[in-house]
Amino acid sequence: RGSLKGEKLKVGYNANTGGWKGSYNKNGSFSTDDEWSGPIVDFIKEAALEGGFEIVKTAPPEWLHKGSMSFFGGSSKFDFCVYATSLGYLDFCVGSYTISTKRSSVTTMFETESDPVYLFVHDSANDGWEEFSYNFRLIGQPFSYGAWLLIFFFTLPVMGMLMVFHEYDHPGTAFPKNEVTFVDDCDNKEKPVEIESRKIPLYKHLLSSIYMAFLSFNEGAYSQGVVSISGKIHLIGLAAFVMLILAVYTANLAAILTQDANTSGIDSIKSAVRRGYNVCAERKIAQIVMEAYDVDGSVFVPDPEDGKPGFNCGTCKSRQRVFDFMN
């Protein structure tokens, strides 16, 4: 406090977006007018009053900008201010900064408040078609594709055909060998109606029995009558199979729904990476996250101008581009 008393300090002011944190001036960074506002600006004013030193708003020499771009790899005015301070053209900079490795390597960063990294997640859960598609696929998730194929293309057809094997041509069975047919000669009305016994093609019984097996799977009960001893034993096996499959299916589906309900949203960078999210971020934020959390650069959407992770475009507002690419 005493060492700064009476001193005139050359200070570069950087304009943060909106002024909700840091500092803001509608005329942009390095303005030397009195339009500055924001929590950091108020803090510096109070510090100057308490310490008895004078603040002189100063813009760094423009010719230093090229050196700043070469060192930091971007056209950020925040990097420019740090670069000018490291060379002694400014005493310090005012604004809300992201503390990166390069910035902290050339000058001292003073932290006045917690500055967390914010993770914005694009939530598409309310999109009608995507939600319907997800819920429709949820129906089949209790079993793997291989299990479904085994059930529908092997087990049920085989059990249906075995029922024909056990019940075929038994008295009172649903699968008789022959059927009684009444034959009427329409051209000769005087000819009496004849009764014939015709053999039923075996494939009709097989198709009917397979259909009943699939129907019992969906209804949970076998509604066709069974008369033979072996057929009744087979029916017990079929009923047990259907009961077991329905019980396991219900339990697995309930577990999946419960798990989805209890699964928390994306609450950290690591959870976003684990779930395969692509992240839109400003270049400096991307570098900090990659170093702090050991995240691969491929996670971040590359800048369309230089193809590197994170946005650092020289012809646009990189922070605005972060939100433009969230779709």
Side-chain angles (χ1 to χ4, degrees):
R1 178 177 176 179
S3 62
L4 293 178
K5 190 172 184 179
E7 295 289 335
K8 287 187 177 181
L9 303 180
K10 295 178 292 183
V11 181
Y13 280 74
N14 281 125
N16 295 107
T17 304
W20 60 279
K21 62 185 299 184
S23 57
Y24 177 71
N25 189 311
K26 62 181 180 180
N27 297 316
S29 295
F30 307 126
S31 295
T32 56
D33 53 31
D34 295 325
E35 299 295 325
W36 288 97
S37 62
I40 301 298
V41 175
D42 295 337
F43 174 81
I44 294 299
K45 286 181 180 179
E46 289 293 330
L49 290 174
E50 289 288 331
F53 57 88
E54 182 181 350
I55 294 176
V56 181
K57 299 183 183 70
T58 306
E62 190 61 33
W63 58 269
L64 282 177
H65 201 192
K66 184 176 292 186
S68 172
M69 293 177 64
S70 176
F71 181 78
F72 287 103
S75 58
S76 169
K77 291 184 178 180
F78 289 80
D79 290 338
F80 184 23
C81 193
V82 172
Y83 188 75
T85 303
S86 68
L87 296 177
Y89 290 93
L90 297 174
D91 291 306
F92 63 89
C93 300
V94 173
S96 180
Y97 284 78
T98 300
I99 303 177
S100 64
T101 303
K102 277 196 173 182
R103 287 177 179 177
S104 60
S105 68
V106 295
T107 189
T108 302
M109 311 294 289
F110 182 68
E111 188 174 359
T112 60
E113 60 182 3
S114 176
D115 189 19
V117 174
Y118 293 93
L119 177 66
F120 294 88
V121 178
H122 176 69
D123 186 7
S124 59
N126 294 323
D127 294 346
W129 174 251
E130 290 187 8
E131 184 177 6
F132 171 79
S133 177
Y134 171 78
N135 291 331
F136 184 79
R137 293 195 303 269
L138 195 64
I139 297 174
Q141 288 188 14
F143 295 129
S144 65
Y145 290 115
W148 284 119
L149 291 174
L150 180 65
I151 292 170
F152 286 114
F153 291 97
F154 179 77
T155 308
L156 290 178
V158 168
M159 297 191 83
M161 289 186 287
L162 286 175
M163 185 60 77
V164 177
F165 172 79
H166 293 298
E167 287 288 290
Y168 187 66
D169 202 25
H170 280 271
T173 181
F175 308 109
K177 183 176 182 180
N178 300 304
E179 64 178 349
V180 176
T181 306
F182 295 90
V183 181
D184 186 12
D185 190 348
C186 297
D187 295 330
N188 186 1
K189 298 297 183 182
E190 296 180 357
K191 185 177 181 180
V193 176
E194 296 180 356
I195 300 176
E196 294 183 1
S197 178
R198 295 183 178 179
K199 186 176 181 180
I200 302 174
L202 185 60
Y203 76 88
K204 289 187 176 182
H205 288 320
L206 292 174
L207 292 177
S208 176
S209 184
I210 292 173
Y211 168 77
M212 290 304 301
F214 277 93
L215 187 62
S216 67
F217 179 81
N218 290 285
E219 288 185 338
Y222 192 82
S223 58
Q224 198 169 52
V226 178
V227 296
S228 67
I229 299 298
S230 60
K232 290 178 180 180
I233 295 174
H234 180 71
L235 180 59
I236 293 175
L238 177 60
F241 172 77
V242 172
M243 179 191 67
L244 180 64
I245 292 297
L246 294 180
V248 173
Y249 178 86
T250 304
N252 287 350
L253 184 60
I256 292 171
L257 294 175
T258 303
Q259 182 180 8
D260 288 347
N262 293 333
T263 300
S264 60
I266 301 300
D267 56 1
S268 67
I269 296 294
K270 289 187 176 180
S271 63
V273 173
R274 282 196 303 267
R275 296 181 64 172
Y277 276 64
N278 290 324
V279 180
C280 294
E282 195 178 7
R283 178 69 53 79
K284 292 184 290 293
I285 298 294
Q287 291 173 345
I288 292 173
V289 171
M290 286 189 290
E291 293 173 1
Y293 297 95
D294 194 24
V295 175
D296 190 80
S298 60
V299 171
F300 294 91
V301 178
D303 192 298
E305 295 191 8
D306 60 15
K308 296 180 180 180
F311 301 124
N312 193 38
C313 51
T315 59
C316 71
K317 296 180 179 179
S318 55
R319 292 186 180 180
Q320 180 62 42
R321 177 168 279 184
V322 170
F323 292 97
D324 291 341
F325 275 68
M326 288 183 67
N327 52 42

mmCIF file of all heavy atoms in Angstrom, residues 248-284:
data_model
loop_
_atom_site.group_PDB
_atom_site.id
_atom_site.type_symbol
_atom_site.label_atom_id
_atom_site.label_comp_id
_atom_site.label_asym_id
_atom_site.label_seq_id
_atom_site.Cartn_x
_atom_site.Cartn_y
_atom_site.Cartn_z
ATOM 1 N N VAL A 248 -37.899 -61.528 -17.495
ATOM 2 C CA VAL A 248 -36.583 -60.930 -17.696
ATOM 3 C C VAL A 248 -36.700 -59.630 -18.490
ATOM 4 O O VAL A 248 -36.026 -58.627 -18.184
ATOM 5 C CB VAL A 248 -35.649 -61.924 -18.416
ATOM 6 C CG1 VAL A 248 -34.318 -61.260 -18.778
ATOM 7 C CG2 VAL A 248 -35.404 -63.143 -17.544
ATOM 8 N N TYR A 249 -37.566 -59.625 -19.502
ATOM 9 C CA TYR A 249 -37.763 -58.420 -20.308
ATOM 10 C C TYR A 249 -38.277 -57.279 -19.435
ATOM 11 O O TYR A 249 -37.773 -56.147 -19.510
ATOM 12 C CB TYR A 249 -38.764 -58.708 -21.428
ATOM 13 C CG TYR A 249 -39.076 -57.509 -22.293
ATOM 14 C CD1 TYR A 249 -38.274 -57.183 -23.381
ATOM 15 C CD2 TYR A 249 -40.164 -56.691 -22.005
ATOM 16 C CE1 TYR A 249 -38.555 -56.083 -24.167
ATOM 17 C CE2 TYR A 249 -40.448 -55.575 -22.781
ATOM 18 C CZ TYR A 249 -39.641 -55.282 -23.864
ATOM 19 O OH TYR A 249 -39.921 -54.173 -24.630
ATOM 20 N N THR A 250 -39.280 -57.546 -18.607
ATOM 21 C CA THR A 250 -39.847 -56.515 -17.743
ATOM 22 C C THR A 250 -38.814 -55.985 -16.756
ATOM 23 O O THR A 250 -38.703 -54.772 -16.535
ATOM 24 C CB THR A 250 -41.061 -57.071 -16.975
ATOM 25 O OG1 THR A 250 -42.017 -57.586 -17.903
ATOM 26 C CG2 THR A 250 -41.713 -55.993 -16.125
ATOM 27 N N ALA A 251 -38.039 -56.901 -16.168
ATOM 28 C CA ALA A 251 -37.019 -56.490 -15.197
ATOM 29 C C ALA A 251 -35.934 -55.640 -15.857
ATOM 30 O O ALA A 251 -35.514 -54.603 -15.319
ATOM 31 C CB ALA A 251 -36.406 -57.724 -14.537
ATOM 32 N N ASN A 252 -35.474 -56.071 -17.037
ATOM 33 C CA ASN A 252 -34.427 -55.317 -17.730
ATOM 34 C C ASN A 252 -34.915 -53.948 -18.174
ATOM 35 O O ASN A 252 -34.199 -52.948 -18.070
ATOM 36 C CB ASN A 252 -33.924 -56.097 -18.941
ATOM 37 C CG ASN A 252 -33.077 -57.284 -18.550
ATOM 38 O OD1 ASN A 252 -32.704 -57.439 -17.392
ATOM 39 N ND2 ASN A 252 -32.764 -58.138 -19.509
ATOM 40 N N LEU A 253 -36.154 -53.889 -18.690
ATOM 41 C CA LEU A 253 -36.702 -52.608 -19.124
ATOM 42 C C LEU A 253 -36.872 -51.663 -17.942
ATOM 43 O O LEU A 253 -36.578 -50.460 -18.043
ATOM 44 C CB LEU A 253 -38.042 -52.824 -19.832
ATOM 45 C CG LEU A 253 -38.705 -51.573 -20.430
ATOM 46 C CD1 LEU A 253 -37.797 -50.934 -21.471
ATOM 47 C CD2 LEU A 253 -40.052 -51.927 -21.057
ATOM 48 N N ALA A 254 -37.345 -52.186 -16.809
ATOM 49 C CA ALA A 254 -37.490 -51.357 -15.615
ATOM 50 C C ALA A 254 -36.135 -50.825 -15.153
ATOM 51 O O ALA A 254 -36.014 -49.661 -14.741
ATOM 52 C CB ALA A 254 -38.155 -52.159 -14.499
ATOM 53 N N ALA A 255 -35.100 -51.677 -15.237
ATOM 54 C CA ALA A 255 -33.753 -51.248 -14.835
ATOM 55 C C ALA A 255 -33.229 -50.150 -15.750
ATOM 56 O O ALA A 255 -32.609 -49.180 -15.292
ATOM 57 C CB ALA A 255 -32.803 -52.442 -14.851
ATOM 58 N N ILE A 256 -33.502 -50.283 -17.052
ATOM 59 C CA ILE A 256 -33.049 -49.268 -18.008
ATOM 60 C C ILE A 256 -33.752 -47.941 -17.755
ATOM 61 O O ILE A 256 -33.123 -46.872 -17.730
ATOM 62 C CB ILE A 256 -33.300 -49.749 -19.453
ATOM 63 C CG1 ILE A 256 -32.381 -50.935 -19.776
ATOM 64 C CG2 ILE A 256 -33.054 -48.620 -20.447
ATOM 65 C CD1 ILE A 256 -32.702 -51.612 -21.083
ATOM 66 N N LEU A 257 -35.063 -47.990 -17.554
ATOM 67 C CA LEU A 257 -35.821 -46.760 -17.306
ATOM 68 C C LEU A 257 -35.396 -46.110 -15.994
ATOM 69 O O LEU A 257 -35.295 -44.880 -15.912
ATOM 70 C CB LEU A 257 -37.320 -47.071 -17.288
ATOM 71 C CG LEU A 257 -37.925 -47.538 -18.617
ATOM 72 C CD1 LEU A 257 -39.384 -47.925 -18.430
ATOM 73 C CD2 LEU A 257 -37.795 -46.455 -19.673
ATOM 74 N N THR A 258 -35.158 -46.923 -14.987
ATOM 75 C CA THR A 258 -34.714 -46.384 -13.697
ATOM 76 C C THR A 258 -33.337 -45.763 -13.808
ATOM 77 O O THR A 258 -33.066 -44.695 -13.251
ATOM 78 C CB THR A 258 -34.693 -47.499 -12.638
ATOM 79 O OG1 THR A 258 -35.986 -48.094 -12.548
ATOM 80 C CG2 THR A 258 -34.306 -46.941 -11.277
ATOM 81 N N GLN A 259 -32.468 -46.427 -14.568
ATOM 82 C CA GLN A 259 -31.116 -45.892 -14.751
ATOM 83 C C GLN A 259 -31.150 -44.566 -15.481
ATOM 84 O O GLN A 259 -30.444 -43.625 -15.120
ATOM 85 C CB GLN A 259 -30.263 -46.897 -15.520
ATOM 86 C CG GLN A 259 -28.818 -46.449 -15.711
ATOM 87 C CD GLN A 259 -28.006 -47.471 -16.485
ATOM 88 O OE1 GLN A 259 -28.543 -48.438 -17.010
ATOM 89 N NE2 GLN A 259 -26.710 -47.269 -16.567
ATOM 90 N N ASP A 260 -31.988 -44.455 -16.522
ATOM 91 C CA ASP A 260 -32.101 -43.200 -17.266
ATOM 92 C C ASP A 260 -32.633 -42.094 -16.376
ATOM 93 O O ASP A 260 -32.227 -40.934 -16.481
ATOM 94 C CB ASP A 260 -33.027 -43.378 -18.479
ATOM 95 C CG ASP A 260 -32.371 -44.202 -19.575
ATOM 96 O OD1 ASP A 260 -31.142 -44.412 -19.489
ATOM 97 O OD2 ASP A 260 -33.073 -44.642 -20.495
ATOM 98 N N ALA A 261 -33.588 -42.438 -15.491
ATOM 99 C CA ALA A 261 -34.177 -41.435 -14.619
ATOM 100 C C ALA A 261 -33.185 -40.938 -13.587
ATOM 101 O O ALA A 261 -33.197 -39.766 -13.189
ATOM 102 C CB ALA A 261 -35.410 -42.001 -13.926
ATOM 103 N N ASN A 262 -32.282 -41.846 -13.140
ATOM 104 C CA ASN A 262 -31.329 -41.486 -12.100
ATOM 105 C C ASN A 262 -30.033 -40.926 -12.643
ATOM 106 O O ASN A 262 -29.204 -40.437 -11.878
ATOM 107 C CB ASN A 262 -31.005 -42.720 -11.231
ATOM 108 C CG ASN A 262 -32.203 -43.181 -10.424
ATOM 109 O OD1 ASN A 262 -33.081 -42.387 -10.105
ATOM 110 N ND2 ASN A 262 -32.237 -44.462 -10.098
ATOM 111 N N THR A 263 -29.840 -41.033 -13.953
ATOM 112 C CA THR A 263 -28.598 -40.533 -14.545
ATOM 113 C C THR A 263 -28.583 -39.015 -14.522
ATOM 114 O O THR A 263 -29.491 -38.371 -15.037
ATOM 115 C CB THR A 263 -28.450 -41.024 -15.993
ATOM 116 O OG1 THR A 263 -28.437 -42.455 -15.994
ATOM 117 C CG2 THR A 263 -27.150 -40.503 -16.606
ATOM 118 N N SER A 264 -27.577 -38.442 -13.912
ATOM 119 C CA SER A 264 -27.481 -36.986 -13.854
ATOM 120 C C SER A 264 -27.055 -36.453 -15.209
ATOM 121 O O SER A 264 -26.487 -37.155 -16.034
ATOM 122 C CB SER A 264 -26.467 -36.575 -12.782
ATOM 123 O OG SER A 264 -25.189 -37.102 -13.084
ATOM 124 N N GLY A 265 -27.309 -35.176 -15.437
ATOM 125 C CA GLY A 265 -26.945 -34.553 -16.694
ATOM 126 C C GLY A 265 -25.441 -34.322 -16.773
ATOM 127 O O GLY A 265 -24.669 -34.747 -15.915
ATOM 128 N N ILE A 266 -25.034 -33.642 -17.802
ATOM 129 C CA ILE A 266 -23.624 -33.316 -17.963
ATOM 130 C C ILE A 266 -23.265 -32.244 -16.943
ATOM 131 O O ILE A 266 -23.756 -31.119 -17.013
ATOM 132 C CB ILE A 266 -23.362 -32.812 -19.394
ATOM 133 C CG1 ILE A 266 -23.763 -33.868 -20.420
ATOM 134 C CG2 ILE A 266 -21.893 -32.469 -19.565
ATOM 135 C CD1 ILE A 266 -23.029 -35.159 -20.297
ATOM 136 N N ASP A 267 -22.425 -32.596 -15.964
ATOM 137 C CA ASP A 267 -22.082 -31.652 -14.918
ATOM 138 C C ASP A 267 -20.591 -31.363 -14.838
ATOM 139 O O ASP A 267 -20.141 -30.670 -13.936
ATOM 140 C CB ASP A 267 -22.575 -32.168 -13.561
ATOM 141 C CG ASP A 267 -22.030 -33.564 -13.242
ATOM 142 O OD1 ASP A 267 -21.261 -34.100 -14.069
ATOM 143 O OD2 ASP A 267 -22.386 -34.097 -12.184
ATOM 144 N N SER A 268 -19.821 -31.886 -15.792
ATOM 145 C CA SER A 268 -18.385 -31.619 -15.791
ATOM 146 C C SER A 268 -17.819 -31.877 -17.181
ATOM 147 O O SER A 268 -18.458 -32.498 -18.021
ATOM 148 C CB SER A 268 -17.669 -32.505 -14.765
ATOM 149 O OG SER A 268 -17.742 -33.871 -15.159
ATOM 150 N N ILE A 269 -16.609 -31.378 -17.380
ATOM 151 C CA ILE A 269 -15.926 -31.594 -18.658
ATOM 152 C C ILE A 269 -15.691 -33.088 -18.882
ATOM 153 O O ILE A 269 -15.907 -33.616 -19.979
ATOM 154 C CB ILE A 269 -14.584 -30.836 -18.687
ATOM 155 C CG1 ILE A 269 -14.815 -29.328 -18.622
ATOM 156 C CG2 ILE A 269 -13.809 -31.195 -19.949
ATOM 157 C CD1 ILE A 269 -15.514 -28.744 -19.818
ATOM 158 N N LYS A 270 -15.269 -33.789 -17.830
ATOM 159 C CA LYS A 270 -14.956 -35.209 -17.969
ATOM 160 C C LYS A 270 -16.194 -36.027 -18.326
ATOM 161 O O LYS A 270 -16.128 -36.962 -19.133
ATOM 162 C CB LYS A 270 -14.326 -35.731 -16.682
ATOM 163 C CG LYS A 270 -12.914 -35.208 -16.456
ATOM 164 C CD LYS A 270 -12.264 -35.874 -15.252
ATOM 165 C CE LYS A 270 -10.822 -35.419 -15.096
ATOM 166 N NZ LYS A 270 -10.168 -36.056 -13.926
ATOM 167 N N SER A 271 -17.343 -35.682 -17.735
ATOM 168 C CA SER A 271 -18.563 -36.425 -18.060
ATOM 169 C C SER A 271 -18.994 -36.158 -19.496
ATOM 170 O O SER A 271 -19.517 -37.048 -20.175
ATOM 171 C CB SER A 271 -19.686 -36.052 -17.091
ATOM 172 O OG SER A 271 -20.032 -34.688 -17.210
ATOM 173 N N ALA A 272 -18.764 -34.942 -19.991
ATOM 174 C CA ALA A 272 -19.080 -34.633 -21.387
ATOM 175 C C ALA A 272 -18.190 -35.436 -22.330
ATOM 176 O O ALA A 272 -18.649 -35.943 -23.355
ATOM 177 C CB ALA A 272 -18.911 -33.132 -21.643
ATOM 178 N N VAL A 273 -16.907 -35.584 -21.972
ATOM 179 C CA VAL A 273 -15.980 -36.355 -22.802
ATOM 180 C C VAL A 273 -16.356 -37.828 -22.790
ATOM 181 O O VAL A 273 -16.352 -38.497 -23.831
ATOM 182 C CB VAL A 273 -14.535 -36.147 -22.305
ATOM 183 C CG1 VAL A 273 -13.577 -37.074 -23.044
ATOM 184 C CG2 VAL A 273 -14.112 -34.699 -22.489
ATOM 185 N N ARG A 274 -16.707 -38.361 -21.606
ATOM 186 C CA ARG A 274 -17.079 -39.775 -21.504
ATOM 187 C C ARG A 274 -18.297 -40.104 -22.348
ATOM 188 O O ARG A 274 -18.401 -41.194 -22.916
ATOM 189 C CB ARG A 274 -17.361 -40.140 -20.035
ATOM 190 C CG ARG A 274 -16.123 -40.346 -19.196
ATOM 191 C CD ARG A 274 -16.461 -41.075 -17.907
ATOM 192 N NE ARG A 274 -17.463 -40.366 -17.140
ATOM 193 C CZ ARG A 274 -17.191 -39.482 -16.190
ATOM 194 N NH1 ARG A 274 -15.932 -39.192 -15.920
ATOM 195 N NH2 ARG A 274 -18.165 -38.895 -15.523
ATOM 196 N N ARG A 275 -19.231 -39.175 -22.469
ATOM 197 C CA ARG A 275 -20.453 -39.426 -23.221
ATOM 198 C C ARG A 275 -20.342 -39.019 -24.687
ATOM 199 O O ARG A 275 -21.323 -39.020 -25.417
ATOM 200 C CB ARG A 275 -21.627 -38.706 -22.557
ATOM 201 C CG ARG A 275 -21.920 -39.244 -21.165
ATOM 202 C CD ARG A 275 -23.087 -38.580 -20.497
ATOM 203 N NE ARG A 275 -24.337 -38.814 -21.206
ATOM 204 C CZ ARG A 275 -25.531 -38.469 -20.731
ATOM 205 N NH1 ARG A 275 -25.625 -37.895 -19.547
ATOM 206 N NH2 ARG A 275 -26.620 -38.686 -21.429
ATOM 207 N N GLY A 276 -19.130 -38.690 -25.120
ATOM 208 C CA GLY A 276 -18.886 -38.463 -26.538
ATOM 209 C C GLY A 276 -19.340 -37.117 -27.070
ATOM 210 O O GLY A 276 -19.571 -36.978 -28.268
ATOM 211 N N TYR A 277 -19.445 -36.112 -26.219
ATOM 212 C CA TYR A 277 -19.864 -34.794 -26.675
ATOM 213 C C TYR A 277 -18.725 -34.092 -27.408
ATOM 214 O O TYR A 277 -17.557 -34.247 -27.058
ATOM 215 C CB TYR A 277 -20.290 -33.927 -25.488
ATOM 216 C CG TYR A 277 -21.720 -34.140 -25.046
ATOM 217 C CD1 TYR A 277 -22.152 -35.347 -24.535
ATOM 218 C CD2 TYR A 277 -22.650 -33.109 -25.141
ATOM 219 C CE1 TYR A 277 -23.457 -35.540 -24.133
ATOM 220 C CE2 TYR A 277 -23.964 -33.293 -24.732
ATOM 221 C CZ TYR A 277 -24.362 -34.503 -24.232
ATOM 222 O OH TYR A 277 -25.658 -34.692 -23.834
ATOM 223 N N ASN A 278 -19.082 -33.317 -28.406
ATOM 224 C CA ASN A 278 -18.142 -32.391 -29.015
ATOM 225 C C ASN A 278 -18.319 -31.032 -28.339
ATOM 226 O O ASN A 278 -19.448 -30.592 -28.111
ATOM 227 C CB ASN A 278 -18.392 -32.251 -30.518
ATOM 228 C CG ASN A 278 -18.027 -33.508 -31.268
ATOM 229 O OD1 ASN A 278 -17.066 -34.180 -30.921
ATOM 230 N ND2 ASN A 278 -18.796 -33.852 -32.289
ATOM 231 N N VAL A 279 -17.204 -30.374 -28.033
ATOM 232 C CA VAL A 279 -17.248 -29.154 -27.223
ATOM 233 C C VAL A 279 -16.853 -27.956 -28.068
ATOM 234 O O VAL A 279 -15.835 -27.979 -28.766
ATOM 235 C CB VAL A 279 -16.302 -29.276 -26.009
ATOM 236 C CG1 VAL A 279 -16.350 -28.007 -25.161
ATOM 237 C CG2 VAL A 279 -16.681 -30.488 -25.167
ATOM 238 N N CYS A 280 -17.680 -26.906 -28.001
ATOM 239 C CA CYS A 280 -17.358 -25.625 -28.628
ATOM 240 C C CYS A 280 -16.736 -24.721 -27.561
ATOM 241 O O CYS A 280 -17.336 -24.535 -26.496
ATOM 242 C CB CYS A 280 -18.608 -24.959 -29.199
ATOM 243 S SG CYS A 280 -19.364 -25.842 -30.579
ATOM 244 N N ALA A 281 -15.560 -24.176 -27.839
ATOM 245 C CA ALA A 281 -14.894 -23.339 -26.839
ATOM 246 C C ALA A 281 -13.965 -22.359 -27.535
ATOM 247 O O ALA A 281 -13.499 -22.593 -28.653
ATOM 248 C CB ALA A 281 -14.109 -24.194 -25.853
ATOM 249 N N GLU A 282 -13.707 -21.246 -26.860
ATOM 250 C CA GLU A 282 -12.700 -20.320 -27.330
ATOM 251 C C GLU A 282 -11.328 -20.978 -27.212
ATOM 252 O O GLU A 282 -11.129 -21.866 -26.363
ATOM 253 C CB GLU A 282 -12.771 -19.033 -26.498
ATOM 254 C CG GLU A 282 -12.034 -17.857 -27.102
ATOM 255 C CD GLU A 282 -12.169 -16.605 -26.261
ATOM 256 O OE1 GLU A 282 -12.726 -16.697 -25.150
ATOM 257 O OE2 GLU A 282 -11.710 -15.548 -26.704
ATOM 258 N N ARG A 283 -10.386 -20.588 -28.040
ATOM 259 C CA ARG A 283 -9.073 -21.240 -28.102
ATOM 260 C C ARG A 283 -8.391 -21.286 -26.733
ATOM 261 O O ARG A 283 -7.855 -22.325 -26.329
ATOM 262 C CB ARG A 283 -8.192 -20.500 -29.120
ATOM 263 C CG ARG A 283 -6.765 -21.030 -29.272
ATOM 264 C CD ARG A 283 -6.730 -22.404 -29.918
ATOM 265 N NE ARG A 283 -7.446 -22.459 -31.166
ATOM 266 C CZ ARG A 283 -6.983 -22.022 -32.349
ATOM 267 N NH1 ARG A 283 -5.773 -21.493 -32.432
ATOM 268 N NH2 ARG A 283 -7.721 -22.132 -33.448
ATOM 269 N N LYS A 284 -8.420 -20.164 -26.017
ATOM 270 C CA LYS A 284 -7.723 -20.124 -24.724
ATOM 271 C C LYS A 284 -8.392 -21.061 -23.724
ATOM 272 O O LYS A 284 -7.716 -21.742 -22.947
ATOM 273 C CB LYS A 284 -7.714 -18.685 -24.195
ATOM 274 C CG LYS A 284 -6.850 -17.735 -25.008
ATOM 275 C CD LYS A 284 -6.797 -16.371 -24.408
ATOM 276 C CE LYS A 284 -8.128 -15.651 -24.530
ATOM 277 N NZ LYS A 284 -8.477 -15.324 -25.909
#
